[in-house]
Amino acid sequence: MDFQYSPRVKELQARLNAFMDEHVYPNEARFHAEIEENRKKGDAWVPTMVMEELKEKARAAGLWNLFLPESEHGAGLTNLEYAPLCEIMGRAGWAAEVFNCSAPDTGNMEVLARYGTPEQQEQWLKPLLEGKIRSCFAMTEPAVASSDATNIESRIELDGDHYVINGRKWWSSGAGDPRCKVFIFMGKSDPDNPNKHKQQSMIIVPRDTPGVRVVRHLPVLGFDDAPHGHAEIVFENVRVPASNMLLGEGCGFEIAQGRLGPGRIHHCMRLIGLAERALEKMCQRTMNRVAFGKPIAEQTVTLERIANARILIDQARFLVLNAAQMMDTVGNKAALKEIGMIKVAAPNMACQVIDWAIQAHGGGGMADEFLAHAYASARSLRLADGPDEVHRNQVGKLELAKYRQTPKPH
Ligand SMILES: Cc1cc2nc3c(=O)[nH]c(=O)nc-3n(C[C@H](O)[C@H](O)[C@H](O)COP(=O)(O)OP(=O)(O)OC[C@H]3O[C@@H](n4cnc5c(N)ncnc54)[C@H](O)[C@@H]3O)c2cc1C
């Protein structure tokens, strides 16, 4: 086992860190100010100029599409190589998009790269890879418990050479952005199929198709995440060409398995960067404030929390690297347990570390925008891509399966 990053990864880490220092951190205030400015003018749902400027710079610097393993469209990095780079991007909640590596586009690009026809790839994957458009993934529905995706009720029905789509989705991340031009929509094409994992399909829905209506934007603990957002969307008699079907009718679950693997782990990688930054803030703040005769950092409880934060972050990082390596070597399906483990461990770790950082800042912690937003996003990732409980169930069942295969453990 080699714990060293490869020379190529070290070189990319250095360039990515330099880019973050030169272009991302100094522009954080401008990014948020632009959104507030747009909000004051009456519309926060417009792209910021700073994002488009930085995307050009990142692309020119060759820091672009670093995700996408096993594809000629990406940078040729494995999941293991991408993990420490994604971690760096995660240090600022808005940075991943600068490098065209943000959710849900990465997951959707993986779907199109892996399952799309040449025509679908030309129409949608190409502009996504160029960062010219954005996308959303519409699976979750308000009316049913969507953590069990067999419950999904939306319909995809064949009518001549078109499919007709009806349903209501919510938490469709990214749909608030006018650059979001395409949805990957999951619904039932064969609700009576006795195999409940063959009832679902995924289909491409261009955003401007008649019958697609964004009803409202859902806040995440009060943050609307404009201009990205999380939307509730009604699909009413939406007609798309039959050629928009992905992979084939009944393949929705198969695609979901492929899609959620890397996408899930990207969130985990970014959470490690976010938690690292929260810990840095915690250390800097508490070293410089004195209470009851000594720096807050040296009060035993703070010192313990700093130590525990370091332990939790490093544990999560090693679990992420292990899951990434499993995905590279045995595939997403065989790495199900490791993906489930990190999906539970990373957001819980980040919530805990950020919570300690907030506490260490005193009242200031409640007003610190970075910490507040970091907490909201880490907390939401205990639900997005499946709640903790569902992943724990899966990990638990896989653990028990070992004993079913070997009934008499020694
Ligand atoms: C910020 C954010 C962004 C999101 N982005 C997207 C997106 O882009 N696209 C999309 O389609 N969806 C998205 N989601 C939705 C997310 O994937 C769902 O919220 C999640 O899968 C849970 O589904 P649900 O909300 O219907 O909860 P339900 O299925 O109703 O579950 C509710 C609760 O029941 C409990 N529970 C469920 N199953 C079990 C079990 N087996 N054992 C024990 N307890 C259980 C859990 O505590 C769970 O939280 C996003 C959510 C958030 C918060």
Side-chain angles (χ1 to χ4, degrees):
M1 193 179 286
D2 185 359
F3 283 94
Q4 286 294 314
Y5 295 127
S6 70
R8 181 168 184 216
V9 170
K10 281 186 191 161
E11 186 261 330
L12 280 166
Q13 273 177 312
R15 285 208 282 132
L16 206 49
N17 272 323
F19 192 97
M20 294 284 290
D21 287 341
E22 192 179 344
H23 301 295
V24 174
Y25 304 128
N27 274 305
E28 273 184 315
R30 184 179 155 206
F31 175 75
H32 295 297
E34 260 197 63
I35 295 169
E36 287 322 305
E37 191 73 11
N38 292 336
R39 199 186 304 283
K40 269 191 219 140
K41 285 186 201 150
D43 188 4
W45 305 96
V46 288
T48 59
M49 285 185 295
V50 62
M51 179 62 78
E52 297 308 312
E53 279 169 27
L54 294 191
K55 275 164 66 179
E56 283 304 314
K57 287 190 163 73
R59 199 171 176 179
L63 298 169
W64 191 254
N65 292 336
L66 298 176
F67 71 106
L68 215 54
E70 297 166 38
S71 165
E72 77 275 14
H73 300 296
L77 297 170
T78 61
N79 286 300
L80 184 62
E81 289 173 318
Y82 179 58
L85 308 173
C86 190
E87 175 184 328
I88 295 170
M89 298 176 204
R91 291 172 56 85
W94 59 288
E97 190 189 340
V98 170
F99 308 100
N100 213 39
C101 288
S102 59
D105 296 328
T106 51
N108 291 336
M109 285 188 260
E110 268 161 10
V111 166
L112 290 164
R114 194 181 284 212
Y115 306 106
T117 62
E119 293 74 27
Q120 290 168 345
Q121 291 183 351
E122 178 63 27
Q123 192 173 5
W124 303 113
L125 179 60
K126 204 168 158 219
L128 279 166
L129 285 165
E130 287 170 353
K132 291 196 173 139
I133 64 167
R134 300 209 61 195
S135 62
C136 110
F137 180 62
M139 183 188 77
T140 305
E141 299 181 358
V144 293
S146 304
S147 50
D148 174 358
T150 61
N151 287 334
I152 298 296
E153 287 177 338
S154 289
R155 292 301 316 274
I156 303 175
E157 292 168 281
L158 192 62
D159 180 22
D161 55 3
H162 280 71
Y163 281 101
V164 181
I165 296 163
N166 281 288
R168 181 181 286 258
K169 300 287 181 181
W170 72 346
W171 292 109
S172 301
S173 297
D177 192 321
R179 294 167 305 168
C180 173
K181 298 293 182 201
V182 62
F183 301 163
I184 293 185
F185 181 98
M186 184 157 171
K188 274 190 176 154
S189 48
D190 185 10
D192 300 323
N193 194 312
N195 181 345
K196 62 181 183 175
H197 294 106
K198 294 277 180 202
Q199 296 176 353
Q200 319 271 347
S201 299
M202 281 197 202
I203 194 160
I204 296 170
V205 181
R207 192 225 178 87
D208 57 6
T209 316
V212 175
R213 184 164 50 91
V214 172
V215 179
R216 62 172 170 145
H217 298 292
L218 301 155
V220 174
L221 294 181
F223 292 97
D224 65 9
D225 286 344
H228 180 68
H230 314 275
E232 180 166 340
I233 309 173
V234 170
F235 296 78
E236 208 170 358
N237 294 322
V238 175
R239 291 179 74 85
V240 298
S243 57
N244 281 21
M245 180 61 71
L246 278 162
L247 194 58
E249 271 194 37
C251 296
F253 262 88
E254 190 183 332
I255 301 174
Q257 289 247 310
R259 182 190 189 282
L260 291 181
R264 263 180 205 162
I265 196 163
H266 292 173
H267 279 315
C268 299
M269 295 165 182
R270 283 190 287 267
L271 282 167
I272 290 165
L274 202 64
E276 277 289 1
R277 205 164 165 208
L279 176 58
E280 279 167 27
K281 279 175 75 80
M282 179 177 174
C283 293
Q284 279 158 2
R285 170 85 171 191
T286 55
M287 283 165 77
N288 292 314
R289 272 167 90 91
V290 174
F292 302 99
K294 56 180 171 180
I296 292 170
E298 288 170 26
Q299 309 282 354
T300 322
V301 65
T302 313
L303 206 56
E304 285 242 335
R305 284 176 184 164
I306 288 169
N308 277 334
R310 167 54 51 223
I311 293 165
L312 288 177
I313 293 171
D314 284 3
Q315 280 176 341
R317 180 182 291 111
F318 286 126
L319 278 180
V320 165
L321 294 174
N322 181 49
Q325 205 226 8
M326 290 281 291
M327 288 162 79
D328 291 333
T329 51
V330 294
N332 298 350
K333 218 170 167 184
L336 220 53
K337 189 171 77 174
E338 285 71 19
I339 294 171
M341 281 159 62
I342 195 58
K343 181 64 188 77
V344 176
N348 281 282
M349 170 281 292
C351 283
Q352 180 60 82
V353 172
I354 297 162
D355 182 64
W356 281 332
I358 291 172
Q359 192 69 14
H361 277 69
M366 300 308 290
D368 184 301
E369 266 188 49
F370 169 82
L371 290 173
H373 191 260
Y375 188 81
S377 28
R379 184 64 187 84
S380 69
L381 288 168
R382 290 189 52 208
L383 288 161
D385 288 341
D388 285 356
E389 293 86 346
V390 172
H391 298 296
R392 281 203 180 92
N393 278 354
Q394 192 164 50
V395 173
K397 281 181 187 156
L398 288 166
E399 194 63 22
L400 290 177
K402 291 196 278 195
Y403 300 96
R404 296 209 171 89
Q405 281 158 13
T406 315
K408 281 188 207 153
H410 303 293

